[in-house]
Amino acid sequence: MQIWHTGKVFVSVVLINIYNTYLFTKKNTTMRKLTKLAAAALTGAALLIGSNVKAQAVKTTTPASSWRLGVGLEAGIPTGSAHTISNFELGGTARLQYDASSDFAWTLTSGYYSMIGKAVPNVSGSNYASLGIVPVKLGIKAFLGSDIYFGAEAGAGFEANNGSNTKLILSPGLGWASKSVDIGARYENFSGQGNSYGLIGLRVAYGFAL
């Protein structure tokens, strides 16, 4: 029952973050549409996962209760306003994972993304400045089978080349994981300060037990 209580707390936090994002972004039509898509996916997933965790808490007699650390390489395609300045993203992240049961885990992820500046149209030899972001995200991983999982994350993205800008991150995704390899694809939405942009990303990581 402790796992189920924790799941309910996570769902509440996600819903509060989504509601605050809506209040912040409701004046911008494009940002509102992108944020609503990410928020709807994250909300539905969190509610579904909460129900599954309750069932798992009843049927699992010995939770895994283990810690893991994964180090991964990131690559992606910027979307929204970020696509104006960049066609490609590269980065690296570290992820701390706590296995609450054999089918459910909590995650904490941070690292660095670089949306590499592309050439300025009609200006020879000139590129847009790259956009750097430091993400800090709390998330869940719920395994749908032995290796396939659904992931959802929420957190903050700190723009490295403009210290005053901090974005709210909402990110649903799917992945495949073994004992040492984790491959995940996701959509990541960044909103705040009157503009919104996104990222379709792929992460390939190596993990090990602590």
Side-chain angles (χ1 to χ4, degrees):
M1 296 305 293
Q2 183 178 3
I3 298 174
W4 169 234
H5 175 71
T6 306
K8 289 198 295 183
V9 171
F10 176 77
V11 171
S12 300
V13 171
V14 169
L15 292 176
I16 291 171
N17 281 335
I18 291 170
Y19 179 70
N20 288 336
T21 305
Y22 170 75
L23 292 179
F24 185 83
T25 63
K26 65 179 180 179
K27 294 183 179 180
N28 185 295
T29 303
T30 301
M31 179 164 47
R32 184 170 67 251
K33 289 180 180 179
L34 289 173
T35 303
K36 279 185 176 180
L37 288 174
L42 188 58
T43 303
L47 292 172
L48 177 61
I49 299 310
S51 298
N52 289 340
V53 171
K54 181 179 181 181
Q56 291 163 6
V58 173
K59 71 179 182 179
T60 303
T61 56
T62 307
S65 300
S66 61
W67 292 91
R68 295 181 59 81
L69 180 65
V71 179
L73 296 176
E74 305 265 352
I77 301 173
T79 64
S81 61
H83 185 63
T84 304
I85 65 167
S86 176
N87 288 327
F88 193 67
E89 173 266 343
L90 283 175
T93 51
R95 174 175 292 164
L96 184 64
Q97 176 174 316
Y98 174 72
D99 295 328
S101 75
S102 59
D103 300 317
F104 183 87
W106 297 99
T107 62
L108 178 63
T109 304
S110 188
Y112 187 80
Y113 305 154
S114 179
M115 296 186 182
I116 300 170
K118 65 182 181 181
V120 178
N122 303 319
V123 181
S124 177
S126 180
N127 286 14
Y128 289 106
S130 297
L131 174 60
I133 303 170
V134 177
V136 179
K137 302 178 293 182
L138 176 66
I140 60 169
K141 289 170 70 174
F143 284 85
L144 309 177
S146 58
D147 299 315
I148 305 298
Y149 66 84
F150 172 85
E153 296 176 303
F158 303 93
E159 293 182 345
N161 54 345
N162 189 339
S164 63
N165 286 345
T166 301
K167 302 294 188 184
L168 172 66
I169 297 176
L170 297 174
S171 179
L174 289 172
W176 176 90
S178 66
K179 290 183 178 180
S180 57
V181 178
D182 189 331
I183 301 173
R186 72 190 186 284
Y187 171 72
E188 198 153 340
N189 185 73
F190 305 83
S191 60
Q193 291 76 47
N195 75 306
S196 176
Y197 52 86
L199 173 69
I200 300 173
L202 177 69
R203 180 177 186 267
V204 179
Y206 172 77
F208 51 90
L210 296 179

